[in-house]
Amino acid sequence: MRLTDFTDYAFRVILYLSVHDDGLSTIQQISDAYQVSKNHLMKVVQLLGERGWFDMVRGRNGGLRLAPHARTLTVGTDCARHRERFCAGCLLGADVRHACAIEPHCQPKVVMVAALQAFLAELGKHTEAELSQPSAPLAHALGLITLTPGA
């Protein structure tokens, strides 16, 4: 199973905002920290902002921060499930151009649905807050803080 770039970037933005909770962050700062496309991150931030994951402040000194309730959202059911297209369109009832001839008797679909449910169930066990701990090593890896040796 491979996550889409969108979901991967969503996880990255959420982790960044989790460990940088002392103010607003810009998309440019997040892009620089991960060395990923600012344009891709803008799409992620827009959608998750619409879903209420972020508080967004517009303007010259604007930016975004994780919404207080977002720390309790699960990464599986609240994030990945909304964006992933798992294996085949028929798994989640997605529109497909042509009906599948074996649909009524498709054993691979039965197995894939079970695998998808297990995958999402595991992601659903973990909240954003849990995945951002311990925060100091993550903040250091993202260039947000400097760790002192022996501290």
Side-chain angles (χ1 to χ4, degrees), residues 48-69:
L48 293 181
E50 289 170 2
R51 292 184 186 268
W53 281 65
F54 309 135
D55 292 330
M56 300 193 302
V57 177
R58 297 195 184 275
R60 186 167 186 233
N61 296 316
L64 57 146
R65 66 181 153 252
L66 206 57
H69 77 281

Side-chain angles (χ1 to χ4, degrees), residues 25-85:
S25 299
T26 66
I27 295 172
Q28 186 64 56
Q29 290 169 324
I30 300 168
S31 173
D32 291 345
Y34 287 116
Q35 298 178 4
V36 298
S37 165
K38 180 181 173 184
N39 290 334
H40 285 107
L41 290 182
M42 289 173 68
K43 293 174 189 174
V44 169
V45 166
Q46 179 179 351
L47 180 76
L48 293 181
E50 289 170 2
R51 292 184 186 268
W53 281 65
F54 309 135
D55 292 330
M56 300 193 302
V57 177
R58 297 195 184 275
R60 186 167 186 233
N61 296 316
L64 57 146
R65 66 181 153 252
L66 206 57
H69 77 281
R71 294 188 183 279
T72 63
L73 296 172
T74 62
V75 294
T77 56
D78 298 315
C79 187
R81 183 180 302 261
H82 294 290
R83 290 301 305 180
E84 292 302 317
R85 303 256 187 256

Side-chain angles (χ1 to χ4, degrees), residues 86-100:
F86 295 99
C87 304
C90 65
L91 290 182
L92 297 178
D95 293 332
V96 291
R97 291 179 187 232
H98 304 288
C100 180

